[in-house]
Amino acid sequence: MLHPKQNRIDYGNQLVPPEGYALDRAIGTTYSLDLEALMVLPVALFYAQPLDGQPSELRYDMLDAITKAAEKITVYCQKAHIKVPRKFHYLTAYWEKGIEEVQMAHHAQSFHPKIWVIRYTHPEGPPKYRLLVTSRNLTFARDWDVAFAADGTVGDEVVKQNTPLIDFLTDLEKRGKTKIPESFYTDLQRAKFDSDLGRFNKLTFHPIGVSDGRNKGYTNPVSTVKAWDEILIISPFVDNATLKKLAQLSRKRRYLLSRKEELDGIDLEFLNDYSCFQFSKLIELSEFNEDLGETDVGETVQNLHAKLFITQEGDKVFWFLGSANCTDPAQDRNVEFMVGLKGPSSSGIRVRDIFHQLTNPEKADGVALFEPYDPALRVAVAEKKNVELAIRKIKYDLSQLAFKGDAVLIENATTYELHIEVDARSFGLPTGFAVKMKPACEEQKKPFLLQAGQFNAINQYSGYAETRLSPFLEFEIWYGETRYSTFLLMMDIVLPASRLNKIFSSIIDSKEKFLKYLSFLLTGEETSLIGESGNAQSNPGKGSGNTLFDQLPIYEKLLIATSRYPDKLVAVDKLMQRLKDESTDNQESVISQEFEEFWQIFREYHQTLEHAG
């Protein structure tokens, strides 16, 4: 079931619509968020393409998916946990309304679920829902995670087991500004997810830290039972209190698989209750090994990030997987999401089967993810933990402050200067710590040193084109001479209403690009990089794009769309209007006069069909 070679899940493939279906609405949650990962995500949801693109290598399908992503996709994340991208990209602007930053009530709480609930529609069949519950954040990290995926077709009867999932989404809606359509809830109540559970026969949902709407809250299912016979804990983070509690609940065998640095921080009296294994150092550093590493990507550490609890009670086996670590906050203080699977005690899913598969090389084709933990090799981690706790509190306190911005057009220029204000009189810093900040789009000037206990007026950043403006601020937390943390926060700022159209027209800035993008909208076949010159077959303009003869392939596609896919004409009309809105009197239009006149015929015909319908 958890074979490190045979049971691998591709994140992008899990988001791709089922055959014949199209994305209608997607709700995703994550603790930390990588904007670069977010940029390539829509192409899987909209166009069933792999998550292997880069914003710097923009394709036509990527551009189209990104520009309409926030209309159908909402991602919730912990506030102050948006990762600083390697390079700021102006297309991030299209995602701003699709990101909901969640602020918890206390710095010791986390918004920690990693889940996707996606609704797909079919022109002739009932809607389908995709449920993806994972331990992976929405980042490019290559740590070892675990995930559960299932499709549910909407039927006629209400499925009672979906109630906790509905309660989770209802809680999400209260934490942000985005409204989830009522039809999303109505159909989700009738979606059956447990039609194919393999060796398991029951599926349950556990939204920890969420109200059930009946004056009770959901708690962690692993620690709210009377007792287990056996337990296997796979968790990257552990603490004394939770290990003690679970040991008291388990009568017989107890196995603990974690990171070495976490086990080093646990009192030995609690570790002695378990058979303890640490994540393999060979696997962790495998990308730096010439024989094992990949040559086409940057090397990085691959650590343990999976959260999985396997328990047995008599002849029954229970799996609980998702976002919750083996820590006290994950019992009921954090917001987490776990999925439960129950089945008969059969070979392959039992505690001892999974334990041997992950720790015995002979059971996993020579790949043992975990190796015995040796307490004699413990390293002191208390100081590191104290710094991490201090940074956590600083990030939370920063996220409580109001950052207000103003974008001012420089006189007799086309660029803007940014004025930023933050009242930090209630903000304090522990001794030795410092906070620096700057606009996320700034690439040259040094960050501003935030003055704790004071009102800060920041007026040193200017010279930004409208397409570069952003509500994101980049923060750095320093302890002594070391930068420990970087992250983004959104400031409260009103940006020009024309910004998105200007960004789009700065990309589609030639007749050739316009015709290729138009070809993609009509057929979905043009997936070359934007700006890449095509050959005679792939270039829809086949030349300058100035004559009717050059544009004949486009006209043929328009005729096909008119008769078979009239909805595509709506997308074309929006494209035309967007580019016309940003054209200036002294700028050559990317839309030829001849094509615009011809388009009016299609546009009027489509409007006639709409009125007739």
Side-chain angles (χ1 to χ4, degrees):
M1 288 291 287
L2 292 180
H3 196 289
K5 287 186 177 181
Q6 299 172 8
N7 303 123
R8 304 294 293 272
I9 291 178
D10 183 279
Y11 200 136
N13 288 341
Q14 298 304 314
L15 302 177
V16 169
E19 185 69 30
Y21 281 77
L23 174 68
D24 178 71
R25 194 78 173 83
I27 309 294
T29 65
T30 180
Y31 175 65
S32 54
L33 174 63
D34 187 329
L35 292 179
E36 292 180 284
L38 196 60
M39 293 278 278
V40 299
L41 180 80
V43 77
L45 284 163
F46 282 102
Y47 297 119
Q49 295 296 318
L51 301 182
D52 58 0
Q54 295 292 335
S56 59
E57 298 179 343
L58 193 62
R59 305 190 306 262
Y60 289 92
D61 57 345
M62 289 176 62
L63 175 63
D64 187 64
I66 291 170
T67 56
K68 64 185 183 183
E71 298 174 8
K72 294 188 175 185
I73 309 169
T74 305
V75 175
Y76 295 79
C77 69
Q78 169 97 358
K79 195 169 186 179
H81 284 267
I82 299 179
K83 183 182 176 183
V84 175
R86 288 168 295 181
K87 184 176 181 181
F88 176 80
H89 199 287
Y90 45 67
L91 276 176
T92 304
Y94 284 97
W95 260 115
E96 290 161 7
K97 291 184 179 180
I99 299 173
E100 293 277 10
E101 295 179 292
V102 176
Q103 178 77 314
M104 299 297 287
H106 191 271
H107 76 272
Q109 293 177 293
S110 295
F111 178 79
H112 201 247
K114 299 102 166 71
I115 178 175
W116 281 98
V117 185
I118 310 170
R119 185 177 190 267
Y120 303 108
T121 55
H122 192 283
E124 299 176 358
K128 279 190 177 182
Y129 282 81
R130 172 78 47 77
L131 177 65
L132 179 61
V133 180
T134 177
S135 59
R136 177 176 291 275
N137 288 304
L138 190 46
T139 71
F140 282 126
R142 296 196 287 277
D143 290 336
W144 287 75
D145 286 275
V146 64
F148 168 84
D151 282 357
T153 301
V154 176
D156 297 327
E157 298 181 359
V158 171
V159 180
K160 189 176 180 180
Q161 72 182 31
N162 292 354
T163 299
L165 187 56
I166 301 292
D167 290 338
F168 176 75
L169 294 177
T170 302
D171 181 83
L172 281 185
E173 205 171 356
K174 294 176 182 177
R175 297 178 185 273
K177 300 176 182 178
T178 302
K179 296 300 178 184
I180 301 175
E182 189 61 34
S183 59
F184 192 94
Y185 289 113
T186 303
D187 283 344
L188 182 56
Q189 289 177 326
R190 297 181 287 113
K192 188 172 178 59
F193 289 104
D194 60 0
S195 57
D196 183 14
L197 297 178
R199 299 179 187 178
F200 300 97
N201 52 33
K202 186 176 181 180
L203 173 68
T204 54
F205 303 129
H206 305 275
I208 302 166
V210 168
S211 171
D212 64 0
R214 294 165 289 281
N215 299 319
K216 295 181 68 176
Y218 292 98
T219 56
N220 194 308
V222 182
S223 55
T224 52
V225 298
K226 292 182 180 180
W228 302 112
D229 290 335
E230 300 180 31
I231 188 168
L232 168 66
I233 300 169
I234 303 175
S235 177
F237 301 103
V238 295
D239 63 25
N240 287 325
T242 309
L243 288 176
K244 178 181 178 181
K245 183 176 184 178
L246 293 181
Q248 292 172 341
L249 290 176
S250 306
R251 305 183 187 96
K252 300 178 181 178
R253 299 182 185 89
R254 310 178 195 98
Y255 304 99
L256 175 60
L257 283 59
S258 186
R259 301 178 179 184
K260 180 185 183 301
E261 57 269 28
E262 282 296 301
L263 297 175
D264 286 347
I266 300 298
D267 294 345
L268 286 176
E269 63 176 293
F270 302 117
L271 290 185
N272 290 336
D273 291 329
Y274 296 85
S275 296
C276 297
F277 284 69
Q278 67 186 45
F279 192 69
S280 167
K281 186 60 67 173
L282 175 65
I283 302 297
E284 184 179 343
L285 302 177
S286 62
E287 291 194 14
F288 298 90
N289 185 311
E290 290 184 3
D291 297 326
L292 300 176
E294 300 179 37
T295 58
D296 58 341
V297 294
E299 293 85 1
T300 186
V301 171
Q302 293 186 3
N303 215 324
L304 173 69
H305 199 253
K307 294 93 174 170
L308 172 63
F309 301 80
I310 303 177
T311 63
Q312 285 183 225
E313 182 183 1
D315 60 353
K316 300 181 182 66
V317 176
F318 301 84
W319 284 37
F320 300 98
L321 63 93
S323 65
N325 286 293
C326 184
T327 59
D328 188 58
Q331 302 310 300
D332 56 14
R333 194 163 74 225
N334 289 350
V335 175
E336 310 272 4
F337 198 97
M338 302 287 280
V339 64
L341 296 166
K342 177 183 176 183
S345 179
S346 59
S347 178
I349 65 172
R350 295 170 300 189
V351 166
R352 61 180 177 272
D353 296 330
I354 300 302
F355 170 72
H356 289 306
Q357 185 170 285
L358 296 176
T359 60
N360 187 342
E362 295 181 1
K363 300 289 186 179
D365 295 343
V367 181
L369 294 184
F370 296 88
E371 57 196 20
Y373 173 71
D374 186 353
L377 301 178
R378 287 163 70 89
V379 176
V381 296
E383 183 178 353
K384 179 183 176 183
K385 290 280 187 181
N386 289 335
V387 172
E388 290 174 350
L389 289 173
I391 290 175
R392 180 188 181 98
K393 178 67 162 56
I394 293 169
K395 292 176 75 171
Y396 181 84
D397 290 344
L398 280 170
S399 65
Q400 294 280 78
L401 300 178
F403 295 89
K404 298 182 178 180
D406 188 20
V408 180
L409 184 63
I410 299 174
E411 188 174 357
N412 299 322
T414 58
T415 57
Y416 290 77
E417 58 184 14
L418 288 174
H419 300 165
I420 305 168
E421 295 181 348
V422 54
D423 186 350
R425 287 176 290 187
S426 63
F427 175 68
L429 279 172
T431 302
F433 286 90
V435 173
K436 300 178 182 181
M437 56 177 285
K438 66 175 183 176
C441 57
E442 177 56 56
E443 296 180 336
Q444 297 180 341
K445 296 179 182 177
K446 293 182 179 180
F448 173 83
L449 180 64
L450 186 68
Q451 301 299 311
Q454 299 181 24
F455 183 89
N456 293 253
I458 308 167
N459 300 312
Q460 66 194 52
Y461 298 107
S462 63
Y464 306 109
E466 184 176 331
T467 56
R468 296 282 296 175
L469 296 176
S470 169
F472 285 107
L473 296 172
E474 179 180 331
F475 290 82
E476 302 174 354
I477 298 179
W478 291 72
Y479 181 53
E481 299 299 315
T482 303
R483 186 177 67 178
Y484 273 84
S485 179
T486 63
F487 58 94
L488 299 179
L489 282 173
M490 285 191 186
M491 62 178 159
D492 183 12
I493 187 171
V494 177
L495 297 174
S498 57
R499 180 175 57 123
L500 295 183
N501 276 0
K502 274 191 165 61
I503 291 173
F504 186 84
S505 61
S506 70
I507 299 171
I508 305 301
D509 58 357
S510 70
K511 288 184 173 67
E512 181 184 16
K513 292 178 183 178
F514 164 69
L515 289 172
K516 282 193 173 186
Y517 190 73
L518 188 63
S519 178
F520 169 76
L521 291 179
L522 294 171
T523 67
E525 296 173 355
E526 182 55 69
T527 57
S528 60
L529 295 178
I530 297 177
E532 182 179 74
S533 296
N535 55 34
Q537 287 185 323
S538 64
N539 183 353
K542 291 188 179 179
S544 66
N546 288 325
T547 70
L548 182 61
F549 178 81
D550 285 336
Q551 297 174 358
L552 274 176
I554 287 292
Y555 292 143
E556 292 169 357
K557 294 170 184 177
L558 280 170
L559 287 170
I560 294 172
T562 302
S563 61
R564 302 179 188 175
Y565 315 107
D567 57 310
K568 293 186 177 183
L569 299 184
V570 177
V572 173
D573 197 44
K574 289 181 179 179
L575 169 65
M576 300 277 288
Q577 194 58 49
R578 179 185 290 179
L579 293 172
K580 288 167 64 177
D581 286 346
E582 288 309 321
S583 63
T584 60
D585 294 337
N586 58 358
Q587 178 185 20
E588 182 184 1
S589 174
V590 299
I591 308 172
S592 68
Q593 182 67 29
E594 183 181 20
F595 180 84
E596 187 169 352
E597 291 173 355
F598 197 85
W599 164 246
Q600 281 300 116
I601 300 173
F602 286 92
R603 187 171 186 270
E604 291 171 5
Y605 177 70
H606 179 61
Q607 290 176 339
T608 301
L609 290 179
E610 283 188 321
H611 291 312

